Amino acid sequence: MPSNRPITLLHLSDTQFGRNHRFEGLDLPPPDNSFDTLLERLKQDLRGLTKDHGLRPDLVVLSGDMAECGLKSEFEDLRDFLGGLL
C-alpha cells in the first residue's frame, strides 16, 4: 500500500574536504575542538529539526565538490564524516 507520508531530503553540496576545508575546527583547545566541526554543527541542526518540527531526513543526497584535490586522505575524511552522519 503506498504511503502518503512526505519524504524529507537532506542535500549536502560542495563539502570540499581537504587542506583548505573551511569547516574544520577553529583551532579551539580540547575538548571544545571536537564540537566545532561541520559534522557536529550539522548533527546539532538535525537534532533541532527533529525536536522542533518532527523532521528527520529519509534520504541524504551528496553532490558537488566532495574533495578538494581528490586525495585519498580527503575521501577518507569524507567517509568518516558520512559515517558519523549515519
Side-chain angles (χ1 to χ4, degrees), residues 44-57:
Q44 246 180 1
D45 288 344
L46 291 172
R47 281 191 293 269
L49 285 171
T50 300
K51 180 183 169 203
D52 298 341
H53 304 285
L55 292 174
R56 184 176 177 148

Side-chain angles (χ1 to χ4, degrees), residues 12 15 17 21 24 37-40 42-43 62 66 72-86:
L12 302 173
T15 54
F17 282 91
H21 186 10
E24 288 295 329
T37 64
L38 173 61
L39 177 59
E40 288 307 315
L42 182 57
K43 286 163 94 175
L62 184 64
M66 293 173 233
K72 180 181 177 188
S73 62
E74 296 169 354
F75 284 103
E76 289 170 345
D77 288 343
L78 175 64
R79 179 199 60 217
D80 292 344
F81 170 79
L82 293 174
L85 185 58
L86 290 176

Side-chain angles (χ1 to χ4, degrees), residues 11-71:
H11 179 215
L12 302 173
S13 179
D14 298 297
T15 54
Q16 297 181 358
F17 282 91
R19 185 172 37 116
N20 296 310
H21 186 10
R22 66 178 179 225
F23 295 110
E24 288 295 329
L26 296 174
D27 296 325
L28 297 173
D32 294 329
N33 61 346
S34 65
F35 297 106
D36 187 34
T37 64
L38 173 61
L39 177 59
E40 288 307 315
R41 293 177 198 182
L42 182 57
K43 286 163 94 175
Q44 246 180 1
D45 288 344
L46 291 172
R47 281 191 293 269
L49 285 171
T50 300
K51 180 183 169 203
D52 298 341
H53 304 285
L55 292 174
R56 184 176 177 148
D58 297 303
L59 180 65
V60 177
V61 175
L62 184 64
S63 66
D65 299 330
M66 293 173 233
E68 187 177 330
C69 297
L71 300 175

